[in-house]
Amino acid sequence: MNALEKQFAQTAAEHKSTIYTVCYMFSQDADEVNDLFQEVLVNLWKGFESFEHRSDIKTWIYRVALNTCISIDRKKRRQATERLTMDINLFEDRDEDTRQVDMLHKRISKLQPFDRAIVLLWLENLSYEEIGQIVGITTKNVSVRLFRIREQLKQMSND
């Protein structure tokens, strides 16, 4: 393994949870999340040598992960096939907190991919400035979009 490969492996390991968090926002299916994770790693590797460190590495990783997941999500929605599954977990945790998290995740998954990305980054406690850098919009635009997204999510609770 050469120095670049070692550096990439270390970077990927350090930011594994960040990548998985992004992937999880685009699917709850474990196999699909793993597929998304692999695609993100491939795209990170393709751009790793040319990454110029003009932004923080974590910002770059978020951007690549989001762009990869959004792109795959768009392709998936165009194909729109329904997956059948027979695996039911009878021991799944069904307390009130879990139900609320599931409900929030379902509502967020109904948002447009760009808005979903903004919510994800906000839930990761990134500042509006960091969110803007990652998704390529101004800090003010992040604030406006988050306000509209919150209103949209509230509207979904009234439906």
Side-chain angles (χ1 to χ4, degrees):
M1 189 183 298
N2 67 31
L4 184 65
E5 290 169 345
K6 286 180 184 174
Q7 187 181 6
F8 177 77
Q10 181 180 351
T11 301
E14 288 172 5
H15 297 280
K16 180 179 177 180
S17 66
T18 297
I19 299 167
Y20 266 115
T21 300
V22 172
C23 295
Y24 179 72
M25 285 306 295
F26 286 85
S27 179
Q28 283 190 301
D29 178 72
D31 291 335
E32 193 172 14
V33 168
N34 287 328
D35 289 346
L36 289 170
F37 183 83
Q38 292 300 319
E39 284 296 319
V40 170
L41 285 181
V42 167
N43 288 336
L44 286 170
W45 173 249
K46 286 178 182 176
F48 191 69
E49 193 171 14
S50 61
F51 175 62
E52 297 174 356
H53 297 281
R54 280 191 243 150
S55 63
D56 183 60
I57 187 85
K58 189 171 184 173
T59 301
W60 178 72
I61 288 171
Y62 264 122
R63 179 172 270 179
V64 170
L66 285 168
N67 287 339
T68 301
C69 291
I70 288 170
S71 176
I72 291 170
D73 187 66
R74 283 186 184 139
K75 288 177 190 171
K76 184 174 76 175
R77 287 178 191 266
R78 278 195 296 260
Q79 294 169 350
T81 58
E82 189 65 32
R83 292 177 63 174
L84 297 177
T85 180
M86 296 299 290
D87 55 339
I88 299 170
N89 183 354
L90 298 175
F91 302 102
E92 198 172 88
D93 188 9
R94 300 304 324 153
D95 66 4
E96 185 60 29
D97 289 342
T98 304
R99 279 194 291 280
Q100 285 186 341
V101 168
D102 286 347
M103 184 175 51
L104 180 61
H105 189 275
K106 284 177 185 155
R107 288 181 187 162
I108 290 171
S109 70
K110 291 178 184 176
L111 295 171
Q112 293 297 316
F114 191 74
D115 290 343
R116 217 180 314 162
I118 291 171
V119 169
L120 163 73
L121 297 170
W122 180 75
L123 289 172
E124 286 286 305
N125 293 320
L126 270 63
S127 70
Y128 286 13
E129 186 177 332
E130 290 172 306
I131 294 170
Q133 288 174 352
I134 292 168
V135 298
I137 60 177
T138 65
T139 303
K140 179 67 176 163
N141 201 341
V142 170
S143 174
V144 170
R145 279 186 167 271
L146 277 170
F147 176 79
R148 290 181 182 158
I149 291 166
R150 284 188 205 106
E151 292 302 309
Q152 204 175 344
L153 291 171
K154 283 180 194 172
Q155 193 64 36
M156 286 180 200
S157 70
N158 295 334
D159 295 343

